[in-house]
């Protein structure tokens, strides 16, 4: 069975972009693939996180994965900091990565822009991501478009390590579907929907109540004209809303155009709010069920044990190739 690995940061609310760009895709893979999904808390602390809030955010992220339909019997769900091999392989790969290539990472440049001081961890963040992926002999990495450059770096590091020290890591492929891998802000269709946006009207959170969803969609910016047609260049705001409609309903873009022909933006937005509510309400219900069941610590512990088994074998392989001490074999560590 091919292996899938992906991660989401526990850094605040999850929004429709995360849901369609990542989480719902993860669910699609769970039948037929051996899936590992990781809550990447070590990535989150590259910027300050309030230690009082972080545990809740980690828990909430895990609960939303489950609420979106991930079945812990079929997939391995775990928290990154519970599996020590991630930080260890990251250091090893930092010694293979170059300062120059990390300086070219656009996400780092964006996040560092205008800041007086950023952590070294923010700079080496893509190397930790490469370690996450390579530790599981991953075949496929489902991510949003913004992560493509990081997966390419991961492939470069794997190739360099393999050619320097001998075949060690499997070469992963990103999985970035053309459609829905970049949901845009509801307030500015030139920007991606992002939880770091200071304007909460720009995104729909997975926990937004119905009336909030209706309000945010009503306030969403539109383009000139009044027709519901999919023209991403000329009508980026409507194209984004149509994308969300298509993802919620499974309808094709021509079907949506036809359905709303002769109708205006107000009608479309009203229907859009309905379909988003229909998509998110069951997720919110399942979130509450999982939270009340108290099963989460058990699910995450089982996940960490399994993740440790797999990743410690790959870490051992890398340490062997490097000639590092294996007096204490990572696969034999008590966990
Ligand atoms: P993040 O919340 O930035 O850690 O992202 C978690 C996952 O959601 C990653 O795979 C991202 O590529 C994806 N993602 C984040 N924002 C969006 C967006 N606006 N549209 C589509 N996918 C997104
Ligand atoms: N960097 C990714 C993001 O911000 C999260 C992430 C960390 C990830 N490790 C990963 C995604 C490994 C895929 C595979 O969205």
């Amino acid at each position: 069975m091919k292996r899938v690995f992906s991660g989401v940061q526990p850094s605040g609310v999850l929004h429709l972009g995360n849901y369609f760009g990542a989480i719902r895709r993860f669910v699609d893979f769970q039948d037929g693939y051996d899936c590992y999904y990781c809550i990447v808390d070590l990535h989150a602390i590259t910027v300050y996180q309030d230690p009082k809030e972080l545990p809740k955010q980690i828990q909430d992220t895990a609960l939303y994965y489950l609420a979106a339909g991930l079945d812990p019997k079929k997939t391995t769900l775990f928290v990154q900091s519970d599996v020590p091999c991630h930080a260890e392989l990251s250091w090893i790969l930092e010694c293979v990565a170059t300062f120059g290539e990390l300086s070219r990472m656009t996400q780092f440049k964006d996040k560092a822009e205008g800041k007086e001081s950023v952590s070294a961890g923010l700079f080496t963040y893509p190397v930790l991501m490469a370690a996450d992926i390579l530790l599981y002999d991953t075949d496929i990495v489902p991510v949003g478009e913004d992560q493509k450059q990081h997966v390419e770096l991961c492939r470069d590091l794997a190739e360099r390590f393999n050619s320097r020290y001998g075949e060690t890591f499997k070469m992963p492929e990103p999985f970035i579907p053309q459609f829905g891998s970049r949901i845009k802000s509801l307030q500015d269709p030139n920007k991606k929907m992002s939880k770091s946006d200071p304007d909460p009207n720009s995104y729909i959170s997975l926990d937004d109540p119905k009336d909030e969803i209706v309000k945010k969609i009503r306030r969403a910016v539109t383009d000139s004209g009044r027709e519901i047609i999919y023209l991403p260049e000329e009508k980026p705001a409507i194209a984004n809303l149509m994308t969300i409609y298509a993802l919620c309903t499974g309808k094709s873009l021509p079907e949506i155009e036809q359905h709303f022909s002769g109708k205006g933006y107000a009608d479309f937005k009203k229907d859009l709010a309905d379909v988003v509510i229909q998509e998110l309400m069951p997720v919110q219900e399942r979130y509450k069920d999982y939270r009340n069941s108290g099963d989460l610590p058990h699910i995450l512990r089982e996940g960490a044990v399994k993740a440790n088994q797999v990743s410690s074998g790959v870490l051992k392989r890398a340490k062997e190739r490097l000639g590092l001490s294996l007096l204490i074999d990572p696969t034999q560590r008590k966990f």
Side-chain angles (χ1 to χ4, degrees):
M1 223 196 254
K2 287 209 170 183
R3 196 167 277 163
V4 169
F5 183 99
S6 197
V8 173
Q9 295 199 49
S11 47
V13 286
L14 290 162
H15 53 70
L16 270 190
N18 300 128
Y19 180 71
F20 288 124
I23 303 178
R24 213 177 70 168
R25 296 234 165 82
F26 298 171
V27 177
D28 293 341
F29 274 108
Q30 71 183 351
D31 295 302
Y33 293 86
D34 183 20
C35 298
Y36 285 75
Y37 295 126
C38 180
I39 293 147
V40 291
D41 54 350
L42 297 176
H43 279 92
I45 59 164
T46 54
V47 294
Y48 179 78
Q49 302 292 334
D50 181 344
K52 287 198 206 74
E53 292 295 318
L54 192 55
K56 186 181 172 304
Q57 288 176 4
I58 293 169
Q59 202 185 345
D60 257 14
T61 307
L63 289 169
Y64 272 113
Y65 269 69
L66 295 166
L70 270 197
D71 179 348
K73 292 197 194 71
K74 295 183 188 161
T75 63
T76 305
L77 179 65
F78 68 103
V79 180
Q80 192 180 29
S81 66
D82 284 332
V83 183
C85 301
H86 289 248
E88 287 182 66
L89 184 65
S90 182
W91 176 258
I92 289 173
L93 294 175
E94 274 180 44
C95 299
V96 175
T98 67
F99 183 81
E101 68 193 340
L102 295 186
S103 309
R104 287 193 290 275
M105 293 293 118
T106 55
Q107 193 173 67
F108 172 73
K109 287 195 261 186
D110 290 348
K111 286 193 176 175
E113 198 183 84
K115 303 242 168 62
E116 222 169 79
S117 159
V118 291
S119 71
L122 191 69
F123 185 67
T124 56
Y125 168 119
V127 185
L128 177 59
M129 178 163 161
D132 298 341
I133 296 167
L134 298 177
L135 277 172
Y136 295 87
D137 285 333
T138 302
D139 296 289
I140 303 166
V141 187
V143 278
E145 199 180 82
D146 58 341
Q147 298 300 315
K148 191 170 169 211
Q149 195 187 26
H150 291 162
V151 182
E152 273 160 12
L153 175 83
C154 171
R155 288 168 57 89
D156 289 346
L157 296 181
E159 202 168 86
R160 196 172 310 147
F161 189 102
N162 288 350
S163 73
R164 208 174 274 176
Y165 300 105
E167 202 58 28
T168 310
F169 297 122
K170 192 159 192 180
M171 203 53 76
E173 297 283 344
F175 176 83
I176 305 167
Q178 288 296 304
F179 194 67
S181 65
R182 203 175 167 84
I183 304 291
K184 310 287 171 43
S185 155
L186 299 181
Q187 290 300 315
D188 179 357
N190 299 311
K191 292 199 297 199
K192 71 168 191 169
M193 185 177 281
S194 163
K195 55 192 157 202
S196 51
D197 196 313
D199 179 2
N201 281 319
S202 70
Y203 55 81
I204 292 176
S205 307
L206 297 192
D207 63 354
D208 274 344
K210 283 184 193 168
D211 54 342
E212 197 71 18
I213 297 173
V214 172
K215 248 192 274 170
K216 286 182 178 179
I217 292 181
R218 201 179 322 126
R219 286 181 192 149
V221 296
T222 46
D223 310 287
S224 54
R226 60 183 305 278
E227 266 177 299
I228 314 300
I229 36 173
Y230 188 77
L231 295 171
E233 298 292 321
E234 288 157 52
K235 290 167 79 96
I238 289 299
N240 185 44
L241 297 181
M242 288 178 76
T243 302
I244 297 173
Y245 191 98
L247 288 164
C248 287
T249 57
K251 286 205 168 93
S252 71
L253 295 166
E255 276 172 329
I256 298 168
E257 285 175 354
Q258 207 183 356
H259 184 76
F260 289 101
S261 102
K263 293 188 186 149
Y265 292 161
D267 285 331
F268 172 60
K269 280 181 163 183
K270 198 170 151 300
D271 280 15
L272 177 62
D274 284 346
V275 299
V276 170
I277 287 169
Q278 263 170 40
E279 180 73 27
L280 292 190
M281 287 309 122
V283 175
Q284 294 188 5
E285 283 304 313
R286 282 195 298 267
Y287 166 86
K288 281 189 218 133
D289 291 346
Y290 267 111
R291 197 186 51 194
N292 297 338
S293 76
D295 290 345
L296 188 65
H298 176 70
I299 293 172
L300 293 178
R301 168 164 277 279
E302 298 246 293
V305 168
K306 183 140 176 256
N308 190 63
Q309 273 163 7
V310 176
S311 61
S312 60
V314 178
L315 179 68
K316 182 181 178 196
R317 210 154 75 203
K319 289 180 83 172
E320 269 166 6
R321 299 279 192 270
L322 285 158
L324 292 172
S325 166
L326 279 168
L327 284 177
I328 297 167
D329 177 344
T331 61
Q332 301 302 316
R333 274 184 206 148
K334 237 182 156 29
F335 188 68

